[in-house]
Amino acid sequence: MLSYIIRRILMAIPLLLGITIVSFAIMKLAPGDPASLMMDPTISPEDKARFMERYGLNDPIHIQYLKWLGAMLQGDFGTSLIRKGVPVIEMIMNRMPNTILLMVVSTLLAMLISIPFGVISATRPYSKLDYTVTVTSFLGVATPNFFLGLILIMVFAVQNNLFPTGGVATLNAPFSLWDRIHHLIMPAFVLAAADMAGLTRYTRSSMMEVIKQDYMRTARAKGFKENKVIYKHGLRNGLIPVITIFGLMIPSFIGGAVIVEKIFTWPGIGLLFVDSAFQRDYPVLMGLTVISAVFVVIGNLIADILYAIFDPRIEY
């Protein structure tokens, strides 16, 4: 297993390198420059040139990339162009716990709801419950998270005042676990909604295939109770395709977090990414891109490991 993990990590290095090259090139080729945003429009050309020279913005793009890559490999992502003197890594680390909390809760919420409903739907095919779960799943997949977030804010925050409209905690209030949970419920649900719906459909489809297998009929013929047949003999094999989807949920959560954090003003790296994009704060954007890519690689690695654990036919 250890050698398998090492191989997967080594295979991810060229991928991460390619992501940084493409991202760096896109940001540098984008119209506008940070100097125009940071400086007074009436500033003299000499002062602007000194600023560009100070931050190395006059160097060829490949030289800028190599300088950035060398510093990044030493743990230095540079300093923010907009928030002068603030290290990029400090800005990211300050926001990271909030995003991790949101992603972990959303993942658990999606798993805890989608897998049981998918199994129940598969064991009662074409029943009223199955149709209800199916229709709800399709609605969840079809509804954009920004639209769902705005609807929930309007209904539960503005009209009924049941939940806060945004933020991670009540301003100027002492720390309260319930207050944090209260602020977390709506963003976590919105972020989990689309993946929750997709996982329910995948679980249902996979379990319906497993239920038809010979070993399931053999287990029933031996006199095992139906719940034991389903949850002990069938569920493990039925979850194998779902585990593959789990790896794909990480990029989905990262992309969704950008929108959800902006809607709910959740102070995480998604909100930081949006703000930095509007401000053309390239060092922060590159740092966030690398961190997000690492998360995606880790998610796929976890999926591969779980796949090998659940499916003994996999050789590693």
Side-chain angles (χ1 to χ4, degrees):
M1 176 65 79
L2 181 60
S3 61
Y4 173 75
I5 296 175
I6 293 175
R7 288 200 308 270
R8 294 294 299 175
I9 293 175
L10 293 177
M11 291 170 58
I13 293 176
L15 176 62
L16 292 173
L17 186 63
I19 290 173
T20 61
I21 293 174
V22 173
S23 301
F24 196 89
I26 291 175
M27 292 178 192
K28 289 300 180 182
L29 295 175
D33 61 83
S36 301
L37 295 174
M38 294 176 61
M39 297 182 176
D40 191 307
T42 61
I43 194 171
S44 66
E46 293 78 10
D47 289 336
K48 183 175 181 178
R50 279 194 293 270
F51 172 85
M52 300 288 284
E53 185 67 28
R54 176 185 176 186
Y55 287 98
L57 299 176
N58 287 328
D59 296 334
I61 186 171
H62 66 281
I63 298 298
Q64 293 184 45
Y65 172 76
L66 291 176
K67 287 182 177 179
W68 174 85
L69 181 63
M72 187 271 292
L73 292 176
Q74 300 176 36
D76 180 12
F77 287 87
T79 58
S80 170
L81 298 179
I82 304 302
R83 303 163 184 84
K84 298 180 181 179
V86 179
V88 170
I89 192 65
E90 179 182 324
M91 296 174 62
I92 294 176
M93 289 300 105
N94 287 339
R95 303 287 190 102
M96 183 71 71
N98 292 329
T99 296
I100 291 177
L101 174 63
L102 181 61
M103 291 176 60
V104 169
V105 173
S106 299
T107 302
L108 293 176
L109 186 64
M111 291 288 188
L112 292 175
I113 293 178
S114 61
I115 292 177
F117 274 102
V119 173
I120 294 172
S121 183
T123 55
R124 303 176 186 177
Y126 313 114
S127 63
K128 291 182 180 180
L129 177 61
D130 183 30
Y131 285 127
T132 302
V133 172
T134 299
V135 171
T136 305
S137 298
F138 282 131
L139 287 175
V141 172
T143 305
N145 52 11
F146 71 86
F147 179 76
L148 178 61
L150 293 174
I151 291 297
L152 292 182
I153 289 174
M154 178 63 68
V155 174
F156 293 103
V158 177
Q159 295 180 351
N160 294 291
N161 198 30
L162 296 176
F163 294 98
T165 57
V168 70
T170 303
L171 291 176
N172 301 322
F175 176 82
S176 169
L177 181 60
W178 167 244
D179 182 58
R180 296 297 177 93
I181 296 174
H182 198 209
H183 282 78
L184 179 62
I185 291 174
M186 283 208 300
F189 178 80
V190 172
L191 185 58
D195 290 295
M196 192 188 305
L199 277 175
T200 303
R201 299 298 301 158
Y202 276 110
T203 304
R204 178 187 183 276
S205 177
S206 179
M207 284 300 298
M208 289 189 70
E209 290 295 324
V210 168
I211 289 173
K212 300 175 184 177
Q213 299 300 313
D214 291 339
Y215 64 85
M216 296 290 285
R217 285 194 290 269
T218 301
R220 291 190 182 96
K222 289 181 178 180
F224 292 128
K225 293 182 179 180
E226 186 65 16
N227 283 343
K228 186 174 182 180
V229 172
I230 296 296
Y231 291 101
K232 183 176 181 180
H233 296 275
L235 185 58
R236 177 171 179 173
N237 293 321
L239 288 180
I240 292 175
V242 178
I243 291 170
T244 306
I245 303 303
F246 171 76
L248 302 177
M249 288 173 60
I250 304 299
S252 174
F253 279 136
I254 293 175
V258 173
I259 299 173
V260 171
E261 289 184 5
K262 184 63 177 178
I263 292 174
F264 290 96
T265 58
W266 185 265
I269 61 175
L271 182 59
L272 178 62
F273 188 93
V274 174
D275 293 341
S276 299
F278 279 112
Q279 297 168 343
R280 296 188 179 91
D281 199 344
Y282 298 132
V284 177
L285 289 175
M286 283 303 302
L288 291 171
T289 300
V290 172
I291 297 296
S292 300
V294 170
F295 270 119
V296 172
V297 170
I298 292 175
N300 283 278
L301 178 61
I302 293 174
D304 288 339
I305 294 173
L306 292 177
Y307 199 90
I309 292 174
F310 276 83
D311 191 349
R313 297 169 297 178
I314 302 296
E315 296 182 0
Y316 48 83

